[in-house]
Amino acid sequence: MTDRSTFDTNVITMTRFVMEEGRRAKGTGEFTQLLNSLCTAIKAISTAVRKAGIANLYGIAGSTNVTGDQVKKLDILSNDLVINMLKSSFSTCVIVSEENKDAVIVESEKRGKYIVCVDPLDGSSNIDCLVSIGTIFAIYRKMSPDEPSGKDALQPGRNLVAAGYALYGSATMLVLATSAGGVNCFMLDPAIGEFILVDRDVKIKKKGNIYSLNEGYAKYFDPAVTEYLKKKKFPEDGSSPYGGRYIGSMVADVHRTLVYGGIFLYPANSKSPKGKLRLLYECNPMAFVIEKAGGIATTGHQAILDIVPEDIHQRVPVVLGSPDDVKEYLEIVKKHSAK
């Protein structure tokens, strides 16, 4: 006799989950359309990432994008997929992408009420060595009645309707945070081509035991960062030192921080005084996810989600993770600022 218990006949897919949330919020269904289209793009990128070597998608496309990173072939494919799928959802009016210098304004006949900021393939410098990469997205409502423009995307993270990321790792996972709910994780089941809810209302640990940053820049660190790291490596209270983990792919590093707890840092330094990561499509969405999970995300001087952006490709310092770990870092920053 076959065991039927291994096959769930009442699975909660991402679409079902969002539709249920929308029904409770008495929504129009436009947000569900948007997420469905984004999921289609993510599934296609996941497939492309899996067969990149075979399909000759590795390597550099011979250009650099607007933020100075070398563009890989998969970057271009991912960007085209995301933009085309979002446009065809009839739910967006402005799309900001890391790969495009200017905001993409959706044709009037396809416009909807949402603005999407996206990093189509984060960590793409790791493509050729098969390290985990991902897609990051942030969704806002258009606030002004004017003709859509890039200025519509210059909203603080507190205005986010939803944000999240897809991680193309040992499996493909989509992590979604919404303004009305918490953080929920969906795993792509390749057998049915659907994202299935696997973790509901995820919360980050109050304190972790892992720190994550690129210590290759130690020469340029501010004294506060140097002191914090020393405390983690050589604790004075007799506790065990923290483990150091750094992948160099923001999606992978932040996801590990969400799951295991601890702290992720990409602070300002003397070489990059404004930080390196972009506010609209890297820091804001990740800060939104971490805060919704009970963590803290800061520049060291203000909450990431409180920053009013001035430019669509603006860079900011970022420190995020377990609340106790980030608070300890902030105390050290405060001490050094008072000097």
Side-chain angles (χ1 to χ4, degrees):
M1 218 174 117
T2 55
D3 180 14
R4 294 185 184 179
S5 64
T6 57
F7 201 99
D8 189 350
T9 55
N10 191 27
V11 292
I12 299 178
T13 65
M14 171 115 159
T15 306
R16 173 180 166 182
F17 179 85
V18 174
M19 279 166 57
E20 286 172 359
E21 295 282 303
R23 174 61 68 92
R24 276 197 288 273
K26 296 184 168 57
T28 61
E30 204 171 319
F31 181 65
T32 307
Q33 284 171 231
L34 193 165
L35 279 179
N36 268 343
S37 295
L38 190 58
C39 278
T40 303
I42 287 167
K43 289 173 199 172
I45 294 167
S46 177
T47 302
V49 166
R50 303 269 176 251
K51 62 182 184 187
I54 303 162
N56 198 27
L57 288 168
Y58 286 150
I60 294 166
S63 59
T64 55
N65 66 17
V66 293
T67 57
D69 298 330
Q70 282 193 315
V71 176
K72 305 288 181 108
K73 293 173 190 174
L74 263 174
D75 275 321
I76 295 167
L77 176 91
S78 304
N79 192 46
D80 290 348
L81 270 168
V82 169
I83 289 173
N84 289 335
M85 287 298 152
L86 288 174
K87 278 184 174 182
S88 63
S89 71
F90 292 86
S91 58
T92 61
C93 55
V94 178
I95 303 164
V96 171
S97 168
E98 183 193 16
E99 303 298 332
N100 295 66
K101 184 183 177 185
D102 300 313
V104 176
I105 309 304
V106 178
E107 299 89 336
S108 55
E109 67 274 13
K110 292 183 180 178
R111 279 178 198 162
K113 64 185 175 191
Y114 292 105
I115 293 154
V116 182
C117 302
V118 63
D119 184 348
L121 205 62
D122 178 72
S124 53
S125 60
N126 287 313
I127 291 170
D128 294 358
C129 62
L130 304 186
V131 167
S132 295
I133 48 184
T135 299
I136 311 174
F137 59 90
I139 302 167
Y140 297 90
R141 271 190 199 87
K142 187 176 186 301
M143 305 300 266
S144 77
D146 308 333
E147 190 69 10
S149 74
K151 288 180 180 176
D152 289 309
L154 300 179
Q155 299 184 40
R158 296 283 173 216
N159 291 2
L160 279 164
V161 175
Y165 55 88
L167 175 66
Y168 312 114
S170 50
T172 296
M173 176 168 272
L174 198 151
V175 176
L176 177 70
T178 56
S179 55
V183 178
N184 296 281
C185 300
F186 303 82
M187 192 87 77
L188 180 61
D189 182 345
I192 59 172
E194 289 283 2
F195 281 101
I196 308 298
L197 180 65
V198 289
D199 286 304
R200 191 188 281 270
D201 198 21
V202 175
K203 295 296 178 193
I204 195 169
K205 287 180 181 173
K206 201 163 181 291
K207 186 179 175 68
N209 59 4
I210 296 170
Y211 72 88
S212 179
L213 87 164
N214 186 348
E215 290 197 74
Y217 293 125
K219 174 183 173 182
Y220 310 109
F221 285 164
D222 289 345
V225 177
T226 305
E227 184 183 330
Y228 178 76
L229 290 176
K230 189 179 176 185
K231 283 187 79 169
K232 296 297 102 184
K233 294 176 184 177
F234 306 99
E236 292 163 3
D237 58 2
S239 60
S240 297
Y242 273 36
R245 301 281 185 276
Y246 186 71
I247 298 163
S249 170
M250 190 190 190
V251 172
D253 280 314
V254 172
H255 187 67
R256 185 200 54 250
T257 305
L258 176 67
V259 174
Y260 295 153
I263 187 167
F264 168 82
L265 310 95
Y266 210 120
N269 58 46
S270 59
K271 201 176 181 185
S272 304
K274 292 184 178 177
K276 188 162 184 288
L277 298 176
R278 272 71 57 151
L279 176 62
L280 261 64
Y281 41 80
E282 289 176 325
C283 299
N284 264 345
M286 291 309 199
F288 188 76
V289 169
I290 291 294
E291 280 206 11
K292 284 289 176 184
I296 297 174
T298 175
T299 63
H301 301 284
Q302 75 176 120
I304 294 284
L305 298 180
D306 288 339
I307 301 169
V308 179
E310 295 171 3
D311 179 79
I312 60 171
H313 297 294
Q314 182 176 338
R315 297 175 191 264
V316 293
V318 60
V319 177
L320 56 79
S322 297
D324 287 2
D325 289 314
V326 179
K327 281 175 187 169
E328 185 183 355
Y329 171 79
L330 289 173
E331 281 168 16
I332 293 172
V333 170
K334 194 175 177 183
K335 184 182 84 175
H336 280 267
S337 299
K339 286 180 179 176

